[in-house]
Amino acid sequence: MTDERTIRIDPVTRLEGHGSLTIKLGPNNEVKDVQFNVSSTRFFEKFLEGRPMEEAVRIAPRICGICPIPHHLASVKTVEDAWDVTPPPAAIKLRRLLIEAKQLSSHAIHFYALAAPDFVFGPFADPAVRNVAAVLKHLPGVATQAIKLMEFGQELCKTVGAKAIHPTTAIPGGMMSPITEEQRDHWLSKTDEMFENIQKTVDLAKTVVNDYLDVITKVAVTPTYYLGLANDGELDIYDGLIRVMDPEGEIVEEFEPRNYDEYYGEHVSDHSYATHIYYKAAGYPEGIWRANSLARCNVADKMATPMAQEALEEMRELVGRPSHHTFAYHYARVIEMVQAAEWIKKLLEDPEIVSEDVKLADVEANAGEGVGVVEAPRGTLLHNYVCNDEGIIEKANLIVATNNNIAGIEKSLMDAAKLIFEDEGHKGLELPDPMVET
């Protein structure tokens, strides 16, 4: 007979099919250990070795069904860095349009399909009813605006990337083809409805944040370092310098992506195939950092667009900067949706977006090493390739969002588990009445 027990959640649904959680409890529910287990590996770095660099741009998106567009763009930026290629300005604008459309769609899916069911029905409702199908049944108006936002983003991705998932149009030196004036006009005609749904999403998010403020400010409030791209201090998901913020809110590093190895530490855990990336100068575990939406909002001085900036200021007034509130990731995600919507409209209104000058004709393979970074919805994504003089990849290193977040996930889970099992703090939380009774 023992007082020890282990709780396993396998697999973790709503996120990744190859992840599981393990919570080990001792006598009197003392939390002994919390693990986020990644139980498989995909070998993509090995798949890339021996391949021509330009093929990597088409192979890399297969890594992830959520982030194929960030992988596509990180890969092409890596090849261009290695070959010292600068695409035409119109190609850069098309790529930015592509990644902002993906950001809009992905955040809408996350907010409405993955997070909203818990807030709509309450965290203690039967798990069988806490899903997007139940939201569709009980709140069809909310579900409809969610579906329209997701559709807008995915279909725009298809226009620019040729496919809504696993795009093919970014090539070393630019884009395979421009978009037409008819396509541009089609999407511009849909922006008014898109902004109406964005405003409804912001209003819903504010309601959720105010209703669940006790949860946000008491559960899994976990100080860590933060990682994200910033372009002249503005939050940027396509280009910029990598920033690191310490737990006190000071920007301790800002560096070119190709120098990442000086700042990225790598810890190999004995309970997961995924390595833990951390701030090397602080060591492990002291230097654990987190990426994703809240991290980006922490490290950036400001947003790049006016409506998003107004939303960021409201969030900082409520939870401060830096915010260590794990549940504030949802709030930050909505702020980034606003910025993505504003970027999309700005780019569609730019006459250069339909320019036919979108690719270089004289791109040649040569020996080199390249690093490409973009922000995937779940965090900073980095590709690093080394190729020979025939343009064949000899070595590849991919650091994905999960690597940047996994140690922070375990740390915030530890805080939440202690609150629940040791202190039973969840029993004293102030919770609103569910929006929908079950």
Side-chain angles (χ1 to χ4, degrees):
M1 189 69 179
T2 175
D3 291 328
E4 296 188 352
R5 62 187 172 120
T6 298
I7 300 171
R8 279 188 61 80
I9 303 172
D10 185 9
V12 178
T13 57
R14 301 191 192 179
L15 177 62
E16 298 187 64
H18 57 275
S20 62
L21 298 180
T22 303
I23 303 173
K24 297 181 179 179
L25 302 176
N28 301 315
N29 277 342
E30 179 188 4
V31 181
K32 307 289 287 187
D33 192 16
V34 173
Q35 300 172 358
F36 181 70
N37 313 107
V38 175
S39 52
S40 66
T41 184
R42 299 182 181 174
F43 305 108
F44 266 84
E45 289 162 338
K46 284 298 178 187
F47 291 163
L48 294 176
E49 290 179 8
R51 299 277 188 172
M53 290 276 267
E54 55 269 36
E55 285 191 8
V57 181
R58 298 191 294 276
I59 295 171
R62 267 65 181 177
I63 295 172
C64 180
I66 297 173
C67 305
I69 288 168
H71 276 288
H72 186 52
L73 298 181
S75 181
V76 78
K77 289 177 70 176
T78 304
V79 178
E80 289 168 346
D81 185 48
W83 293 350
D84 194 23
V85 171
T86 302
I92 300 296
K93 291 179 180 178
L94 282 174
R95 292 178 185 179
R96 184 178 286 280
L97 183 60
L98 182 60
I99 197 170
E100 297 291 353
K102 180 58 189 175
Q103 186 83 332
L104 176 69
S105 173
S106 180
H107 280 357
I109 292 171
H110 196 126
F111 181 73
Y112 283 106
L114 305 184
D118 291 335
F119 297 121
V120 168
F121 301 106
F124 298 113
D126 184 348
V129 302
R130 282 188 278 130
N131 55 64
V132 68
V135 174
L136 183 61
K137 176 181 178 182
H138 294 283
L139 296 172
V142 172
T144 299
Q145 70 197 38
I147 290 170
K148 286 185 175 180
L149 280 173
M150 290 184 256
E151 180 184 35
F152 181 97
Q154 287 299 102
E155 290 300 312
L156 181 53
C157 287
K158 185 177 180 180
T159 295
V160 181
K163 295 180 178 179
I165 301 174
H166 302 149
T168 57
T169 52
I171 57 175
M175 298 288 283
M176 291 178 67
S177 58
I179 63 171
T180 66
E181 293 185 7
E182 289 75 17
Q183 290 171 320
R184 183 269 316 274
D185 294 344
H186 168 76
W187 288 110
L188 267 179
S189 72
K190 291 181 171 292
T191 55
D192 285 347
E193 183 187 44
M194 183 261 290
F195 271 102
E196 288 177 13
N197 289 321
I198 285 288
Q199 187 57 56
K200 291 176 183 175
T201 304
V202 171
D203 293 342
L204 177 61
K206 287 181 179 178
T207 298
V208 167
V209 168
N210 287 317
D211 286 352
Y212 284 92
L213 192 57
D214 204 42
V215 175
I216 293 170
T217 56
K218 292 180 180 176
V219 180
V221 181
T222 306
T224 62
Y225 285 78
Y226 295 97
L227 176 80
L229 278 180
N231 200 338
D232 290 331
E234 295 179 345
L235 190 152
D236 198 315
I237 62 172
Y238 181 75
D239 208 358
L241 301 177
I242 298 175
R243 277 186 169 186
V244 179
M245 170 182 276
D246 71 13
E248 286 70 44
E250 181 180 353
I251 301 297
V252 293
E253 305 289 357
E254 186 172 48
F255 56 91
E256 292 283 352
R258 64 169 28 249
N259 298 326
Y260 79 95
D261 198 38
E262 298 177 25
Y263 306 94
Y264 280 44
E266 187 173 22
H267 171 77
V268 179
S269 164
D270 60 4
H271 60 259
S272 174
Y273 282 115
T275 56
H276 300 190
I277 303 299
Y278 63 95
Y279 178 40
K280 185 184 286 187
Y284 190 89
E286 290 78 8
I288 289 173
W289 63 29
R290 288 187 282 182
N292 203 323
S293 54
L294 184 64
R296 292 189 286 263
C297 286
N298 277 336
V299 304
D301 299 328
K302 57 185 178 181
M303 304 301 287
T305 57
M307 289 176 59
Q309 175 61 21
E310 183 179 341
L312 178 67
E313 290 171 3
E314 288 184 28
M315 187 184 85
R316 286 180 174 172
E317 188 173 335
L318 200 61
V319 297
R321 181 194 183 203
S323 167
H324 300 304
H325 310 85
T326 302
F327 279 96
Y329 271 89
H330 298 307
Y331 200 170
R333 206 165 276 121
V334 172
I335 294 170
E336 289 193 327
M337 284 176 64
V338 175
Q339 175 156 308
E342 292 181 285
W343 257 119
I344 289 168
K345 187 170 189 292
K346 179 181 177 181
L347 288 163
L348 290 172
E349 291 176 337
D350 186 335
E352 197 171 29
I353 202 69
V354 293
S355 169
E356 295 185 353
D357 181 17
V358 294
K359 59 185 173 186
L360 304 177
D362 56 351
V363 176
E364 294 183 359
N366 54 70
E369 178 175 3
V371 174
V373 171
V374 299
E375 288 287 344
R378 276 61 167 170
T380 310
L381 169 63
L382 184 147
H383 286 213
N384 178 193
Y385 309 151
V386 177
C387 71
N388 62 25
D389 56 6
E390 295 179 338
I392 304 299
I393 295 175
E394 295 184 333
K395 183 178 180 183
N397 187 25
L398 310 184
I399 299 175
V400 304
T402 300
N403 297 116
N404 288 314
N405 284 313
I406 192 167
I409 290 172
E410 290 188 344
K411 194 172 183 180
S412 61
L413 281 171
M414 175 63 83
D415 288 343
K418 285 179 176 291
L419 177 84
I420 292 170
F421 294 105
E422 294 182 0
D423 304 331
E424 296 189 338
H426 61 293
K427 294 181 178 178
L429 292 173
E430 296 180 9
L431 296 174
D433 293 331
M435 293 181 189
V436 176
E437 295 286 353
T438 57

